[in-house]
Amino acid sequence: KQEVTQIPAALSVPEGENLVLNCSFTDSAIYNLQWFRQDPGKGLTSLLLIQSSQREQTSGRLNASLDKSSGRSTLYIAASQPGDSATYLCAAQMNRDDKIIFGKGTRLHILP
Amino acid sequence: EAGVVQSPRYKIIEKKQPVAFWCNPISGHNTLYWYRQNLGQGPELLIRYENEEAVDDSQLPKDRFSAERLKGVDSTLKIQPAELGDSAVYLCASSLVGVISGYTFGSGTRLTVV
């Protein structure tokens, strides 16, 4: 059974710093891995999706990497801004048409 | 293009009362999902539809939860009767089979059972 773990559960950093959020999964036979952002009281916004054959994806100041052999993914945020404050969730999908399994998320707070 | 639309946004009910949530997926998306997110947790799947067929409802508490997807488009999720432990955010998502674009989620319905 796939389990997704995110560390740390919460993180506070000063504005402008670069930061890394970690995600680990127990079954390396994933189809894809997706990073989401969730603002308080809101739904989930997809940030980046990495296919199993890919190593990384980039969008603006965000870069997500995937290492299936070690069961890890990281989300790198460059030059953090207060508007980046949110909960970041990673989710693993095992098969093309299967459900996705979420971690509990990392609550990120960027200090002005 | 409109995203996944859910209603209502918020609902407060007394325990033992019924409640229903509605979801309109992205046009053309044949797969629809209902997830439940408890406070401080990641979302967990309740049911997945491919068109109008429920292909994975193993996590749906069938004694009190029911769902339907009319004509393979809109979907409703119902709880009857609601219990205190059902307080959570109920999220709907949709995707297109075979398209590598991931999921699109709605804004969710926050249910509070008192």
Side-chain angles (χ1 to χ4, degrees):
Chain A
K1 177 183 176 183
Q2 178 71 278
E3 294 182 3
V4 179
T5 304
Q6 292 187 247
I7 296 174
L11 181 64
S12 294
V13 299
E15 179 179 3
E17 285 197 2
N18 303 324
L19 59 99
V20 175
L21 306 181
N22 296 295
C23 172
S24 62
F25 44 94
T26 54
D27 186 345
S28 62
I30 62 172
Y31 179 70
N32 64 42
L33 189 132
Q34 196 164 0
W35 283 91
F36 293 87
R37 168 182 172 143
Q38 187 172 34
D39 293 285
K42 302 292 181 62
L44 280 69
T45 300
S46 179
L47 297 174
L48 291 164
L49 181 147
I50 312 175
Q51 293 298 313
S52 61
S53 58
Q54 299 173 326
R55 293 298 300 267
E56 66 178 350
Q57 284 287 327
T58 298
S59 176
R61 295 182 294 108
L62 305 180
N63 176 275
S65 68
L66 175 64
D67 184 344
K68 290 201 313 178
S69 62
S70 65
R72 294 181 180 178
S73 176
T74 61
L75 179 66
Y76 175 83
I77 302 177
S80 59
Q81 303 171 358
D84 295 330
S85 297
T87 295
Y88 292 80
L89 295 142
C90 75
Q93 186 171 12
M94 303 308 295
N95 298 294
R96 188 187 73 174
D97 302 322
D98 205 351
K99 65 183 178 184
I100 54 175
I101 300 168
F102 284 87
K104 293 183 178 181
T106 294
R107 295 187 310 278
L108 176 64
H109 182 50
I110 306 300
L111 306 169
Chain B
E1 175 187 271
V4 176
V5 179
Q6 290 187 247
S7 67
R9 286 297 314 276
Y10 306 94
K11 190 74 175 179
I12 301 175
I13 62 171
E14 293 183 344
K15 61 181 181 181
K16 300 185 181 180
Q17 295 301 306
V19 64
F21 315 125
W22 175 80
C23 174
N24 177 238
I26 290 177
S27 177
H29 279 194
N30 51 359
T31 305
L32 183 146
Y33 313 79
W34 283 102
Y35 282 80
R36 177 169 61 186
Q37 185 177 24
N38 293 310
L39 187 64
Q41 303 293 314
E44 294 183 338
L45 182 72
L46 291 174
I47 189 168
R48 175 168 69 95
Y49 282 94
E50 286 187 11
N51 299 306
E52 60 271 12
E53 180 184 1
V55 296
D56 184 355
D57 63 356
S58 58
Q59 301 302 311
L60 188 73
K62 298 181 182 64
D63 57 335
R64 297 183 300 107
F65 286 65
S66 64
E68 62 180 1
R69 189 178 184 197
L70 301 174
K71 299 181 180 179
V73 183
D74 293 1
S75 177
T76 57
L77 178 67
K78 299 178 182 178
I79 308 174
Q80 183 172 10
E83 297 179 352
L84 295 177
D86 295 331
S87 296
V89 176
Y90 291 82
L91 294 160
C92 179
S94 68
S95 66
L96 185 60
V97 171
V99 175
I100 307 173
S101 60
Y103 286 34
T104 301
F105 278 84
S107 298
T109 295
R110 179 176 297 276
L111 174 67
T112 302
V113 182
V114 298

PDB file of all heavy atoms in Angstrom, chain B residues 30-42:
ATOM      1  N   ASN B  30     -14.141  12.815 -18.302  1.00  0.00           N
ATOM      2  CA  ASN B  30     -14.981  11.649 -18.075  1.00  0.00           C
ATOM      3  C   ASN B  30     -14.757  11.006 -16.696  1.00  0.00           C
ATOM      4  O   ASN B  30     -15.571  10.188 -16.266  1.00  0.00           O
ATOM      5  CB  ASN B  30     -14.759  10.599 -19.180  1.00  0.00           C
ATOM      6  CG  ASN B  30     -13.286  10.294 -19.382  1.00  0.00           C
ATOM      7  OD1 ASN B  30     -12.421  10.862 -18.726  1.00  0.00           O
ATOM      8  ND2 ASN B  30     -13.003   9.386 -20.290  1.00  0.00           N
ATOM      9  N   THR B  31     -13.708  11.380 -16.018  1.00  0.00           N
ATOM     10  CA  THR B  31     -13.451  10.806 -14.700  1.00  0.00           C
ATOM     11  C   THR B  31     -13.704  11.853 -13.615  1.00  0.00           C
ATOM     12  O   THR B  31     -13.244  12.990 -13.728  1.00  0.00           O
ATOM     13  CB  THR B  31     -12.009  10.289 -14.603  1.00  0.00           C
ATOM     14  OG1 THR B  31     -11.775   9.361 -15.670  1.00  0.00           O
ATOM     15  CG2 THR B  31     -11.778   9.556 -13.285  1.00  0.00           C
ATOM     16  N   LEU B  32     -14.450  11.455 -12.607  1.00  0.00           N
ATOM     17  CA  LEU B  32     -14.809  12.366 -11.512  1.00  0.00           C
ATOM     18  C   LEU B  32     -14.515  11.690 -10.189  1.00  0.00           C
ATOM     19  O   LEU B  32     -14.746  10.479 -10.036  1.00  0.00           O
ATOM     20  CB  LEU B  32     -16.293  12.735 -11.609  1.00  0.00           C
ATOM     21  CG  LEU B  32     -16.845  13.736 -10.592  1.00  0.00           C
ATOM     22  CD1 LEU B  32     -17.932  14.608 -11.237  1.00  0.00           C
ATOM     23  CD2 LEU B  32     -17.373  13.080  -9.358  1.00  0.00           C
ATOM     24  N   TYR B  33     -13.998  12.463  -9.251  1.00  0.00           N
ATOM     25  CA  TYR B  33     -13.593  11.937  -7.952  1.00  0.00           C
ATOM     26  C   TYR B  33     -14.224  12.778  -6.844  1.00  0.00           C
ATOM     27  O   TYR B  33     -14.327  13.996  -6.958  1.00  0.00           O
ATOM     28  CB  TYR B  33     -12.071  12.025  -7.775  1.00  0.00           C
ATOM     29  CG  TYR B  33     -11.247  11.526  -8.934  1.00  0.00           C
ATOM     30  CD1 TYR B  33     -11.049  12.318 -10.063  1.00  0.00           C
ATOM     31  CD2 TYR B  33     -10.607  10.290  -8.885  1.00  0.00           C
ATOM     32  CE1 TYR B  33     -10.273  11.884 -11.127  1.00  0.00           C
ATOM     33  CE2 TYR B  33      -9.817   9.845  -9.944  1.00  0.00           C
ATOM     34  CZ  TYR B  33      -9.660  10.654 -11.062  1.00  0.00           C
ATOM     35  OH  TYR B  33      -8.879  10.208 -12.100  1.00  0.00           O
ATOM     36  N   TRP B  34     -14.588  12.117  -5.773  1.00  0.00           N
ATOM     37  CA  TRP B  34     -14.946  12.787  -4.524  1.00  0.00           C
ATOM     38  C   TRP B  34     -13.893  12.409  -3.479  1.00  0.00           C
ATOM     39  O   TRP B  34     -13.631  11.223  -3.251  1.00  0.00           O
ATOM     40  CB  TRP B  34     -16.322  12.365  -4.024  1.00  0.00           C
ATOM     41  CG  TRP B  34     -17.473  12.987  -4.741  1.00  0.00           C
ATOM     42  CD1 TRP B  34     -18.270  12.418  -5.703  1.00  0.00           C
ATOM     43  CD2 TRP B  34     -18.003  14.299  -4.529  1.00  0.00           C
ATOM     44  NE1 TRP B  34     -19.232  13.293  -6.107  1.00  0.00           N
ATOM     45  CE2 TRP B  34     -19.103  14.463  -5.400  1.00  0.00           C
ATOM     46  CE3 TRP B  34     -17.659  15.363  -3.687  1.00  0.00           C
ATOM     47  CZ2 TRP B  34     -19.865  15.633  -5.455  1.00  0.00           C
ATOM     48  CZ3 TRP B  34     -18.408  16.527  -3.738  1.00  0.00           C
ATOM     49  CH2 TRP B  34     -19.491  16.649  -4.617  1.00  0.00           C
ATOM     50  N   TYR B  35     -13.313  13.443  -2.881  1.00  0.00           N
ATOM     51  CA  TYR B  35     -12.352  13.254  -1.808  1.00  0.00           C
ATOM     52  C   TYR B  35     -12.880  13.920  -0.538  1.00  0.00           C
ATOM     53  O   TYR B  35     -13.615  14.908  -0.589  1.00  0.00           O
ATOM     54  CB  TYR B  35     -11.003  13.901  -2.152  1.00  0.00           C
ATOM     55  CG  TYR B  35     -10.127  13.121  -3.103  1.00  0.00           C
ATOM     56  CD1 TYR B  35     -10.350  13.159  -4.469  1.00  0.00           C
ATOM     57  CD2 TYR B  35      -9.071  12.358  -2.625  1.00  0.00           C
ATOM     58  CE1 TYR B  35      -9.529  12.451  -5.338  1.00  0.00           C
ATOM     59  CE2 TYR B  35      -8.244  11.648  -3.488  1.00  0.00           C
ATOM     60  CZ  TYR B  35      -8.487  11.703  -4.836  1.00  0.00           C
ATOM     61  OH  TYR B  35      -7.675  10.991  -5.687  1.00  0.00           O
ATOM     62  N   ARG B  36     -12.451  13.420   0.595  1.00  0.00           N
ATOM     63  CA  ARG B  36     -12.751  14.036   1.885  1.00  0.00           C
ATOM     64  C   ARG B  36     -11.435  14.423   2.543  1.00  0.00           C
ATOM     65  O   ARG B  36     -10.482  13.623   2.563  1.00  0.00           O
ATOM     66  CB  ARG B  36     -13.517  13.084   2.798  1.00  0.00           C
ATOM     67  CG  ARG B  36     -13.783  13.651   4.194  1.00  0.00           C
ATOM     68  CD  ARG B  36     -14.759  12.791   4.974  1.00  0.00           C
ATOM     69  NE  ARG B  36     -14.274  11.434   5.180  1.00  0.00           N
ATOM     70  CZ  ARG B  36     -15.000  10.469   5.735  1.00  0.00           C
ATOM     71  NH1 ARG B  36     -16.242  10.713   6.115  1.00  0.00           N
ATOM     72  NH2 ARG B  36     -14.493   9.269   5.885  1.00  0.00           N
ATOM     73  N   GLN B  37     -11.393  15.657   3.057  1.00  0.00           N
ATOM     74  CA  GLN B  37     -10.183  16.147   3.704  1.00  0.00           C
ATOM     75  C   GLN B  37     -10.505  16.567   5.132  1.00  0.00           C
ATOM     76  O   GLN B  37     -11.230  17.541   5.357  1.00  0.00           O
ATOM     77  CB  GLN B  37      -9.576  17.324   2.935  1.00  0.00           C
ATOM     78  CG  GLN B  37      -8.250  17.785   3.508  1.00  0.00           C
ATOM     79  CD  GLN B  37      -7.619  18.898   2.693  1.00  0.00           C
ATOM     80  OE1 GLN B  37      -8.305  19.632   1.983  1.00  0.00           O
ATOM     81  NE2 GLN B  37      -6.291  19.034   2.777  1.00  0.00           N
ATOM     82  N   ASN B  38      -9.970  15.824   6.079  1.00  0.00           N
ATOM     83  CA  ASN B  38     -10.109  16.189   7.486  1.00  0.00           C
ATOM     84  C   ASN B  38      -9.055  17.236   7.829  1.00  0.00           C
ATOM     85  O   ASN B  38      -8.014  17.353   7.167  1.00  0.00           O
ATOM     86  CB  ASN B  38      -9.955  14.961   8.370  1.00  0.00           C
ATOM     87  CG  ASN B  38     -11.096  13.986   8.189  1.00  0.00           C
ATOM     88  OD1 ASN B  38     -12.271  14.364   8.237  1.00  0.00           O
ATOM     89  ND2 ASN B  38     -10.779  12.720   7.968  1.00  0.00           N
ATOM     90  N   LEU B  39      -9.299  17.958   8.889  1.00  0.00           N
ATOM     91  CA  LEU B  39      -8.427  19.050   9.283  1.00  0.00           C
ATOM     92  C   LEU B  39      -6.995  18.559   9.509  1.00  0.00           C
ATOM     93  O   LEU B  39      -6.779  17.583  10.236  1.00  0.00           O
ATOM     94  CB  LEU B  39      -8.958  19.705  10.559  1.00  0.00           C
ATOM     95  CG  LEU B  39      -8.253  20.981  11.010  1.00  0.00           C
ATOM     96  CD1 LEU B  39      -8.442  22.080   9.972  1.00  0.00           C
ATOM     97  CD2 LEU B  39      -8.768  21.428  12.371  1.00  0.00           C
ATOM     98  N   GLY B  40      -6.044  19.189   8.839  1.00  0.00           N
ATOM     99  CA  GLY B  40      -4.640  18.842   9.011  1.00  0.00           C
ATOM    100  C   GLY B  40      -4.202  17.581   8.289  1.00  0.00           C
ATOM    101  O   GLY B  40      -3.087  17.097   8.501  1.00  0.00           O
ATOM    102  N   GLN B  41      -5.078  17.060   7.454  1.00  0.00           N
ATOM    103  CA  GLN B  41      -4.759  15.835   6.726  1.00  0.00           C
ATOM    104  C   GLN B  41      -4.809  16.087   5.225  1.00  0.00           C
ATOM    105  O   GLN B  41      -5.353  17.091   4.763  1.00  0.00           O
ATOM    106  CB  GLN B  41      -5.774  14.738   7.081  1.00  0.00           C
ATOM    107  CG  GLN B  41      -5.876  14.425   8.554  1.00  0.00           C
ATOM    108  CD  GLN B  41      -4.618  13.802   9.091  1.00  0.00           C
ATOM    109  OE1 GLN B  41      -4.056  12.894   8.489  1.00  0.00           O
ATOM    110  NE2 GLN B  41      -4.155  14.288  10.238  1.00  0.00           N
ATOM    111  N   GLY B  42      -4.248  15.140   4.466  1.00  0.00           N
ATOM    112  CA  GLY B  42      -4.405  15.204   3.031  1.00  0.00           C
ATOM    113  C   GLY B  42      -5.749  14.624   2.624  1.00  0.00           C
ATOM    114  O   GLY B  42      -6.370  13.876   3.386  1.00  0.00           O
TER     115      GLY B  42
END
